[in-house]
């Protein structure tokens, strides 16, 4: 079984590291991945998320939108 955790983001620079670290700290008996989609943040959210994706490529996948689409479209993209 593989579980995908969806994390749409927008302007979450202050909290994104804590959220990703929380995911990484989970212990599971099944395969788990974190899918992050940044909705064109103007802060360092995308930069921070990309660093985690590079450091943990087997667990964290990062996507970045070139224009803001809104929460619903952000979720649809991740699905």
């Amino acid at each position: 079984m593989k579980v995908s955790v969806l994390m749409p983001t927008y302007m979450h620079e202050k909290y994104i590291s804590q959220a990703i670290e929380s995911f990484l700290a989970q212990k599971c008996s099944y395969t788990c991945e974190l899918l992050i989609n940044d909705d064109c943040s103007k802060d360092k959210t995308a930069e921070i998320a990309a660093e985690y994706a590079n450091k943990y490529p087997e667990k964290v996948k990062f996507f970045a939108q070139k224009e803001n689409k809104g929460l619903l479209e952000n979720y649809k993209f991740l699905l």
Side-chain angles (χ1 to χ4, degrees):
M1 172 167 55
K2 183 174 189 175
V3 173
S4 297
V5 176
L6 308 181
M7 185 181 287
T9 64
Y10 178 72
M11 304 291 284
H12 290 144
E13 178 180 2
K14 291 182 180 180
Y15 312 104
I16 191 77
S17 291
Q18 182 180 3
I20 296 170
E21 290 288 341
S22 177
F23 167 82
L24 292 171
Q26 301 299 312
K27 302 297 181 214
C28 305
S29 60
Y30 45 84
T31 306
C32 208
E33 69 179 350
L34 176 62
L35 304 177
I36 305 170
N37 186 33
D38 181 64
D39 199 16
C40 198
S41 295
K42 295 176 181 14
D43 62 5
K44 293 186 179 192
T45 300
E47 182 180 321
I48 295 166
E51 288 175 13
Y52 276 96
N54 287 330
K55 189 172 181 180
Y56 302 98
E58 69 288 347
K59 290 214 161 248
V60 180
K61 308 292 187 260
F62 173 68
F63 308 94
Q65 300 302 315
K66 294 182 188 215
E67 63 181 53
N68 186 276
K69 304 267 185 177
L71 181 60
L72 184 57
E73 291 302 316
N74 204 344
Y75 264 120
K76 285 181 184 178
F77 177 86
L78 287 170
L79 289 172

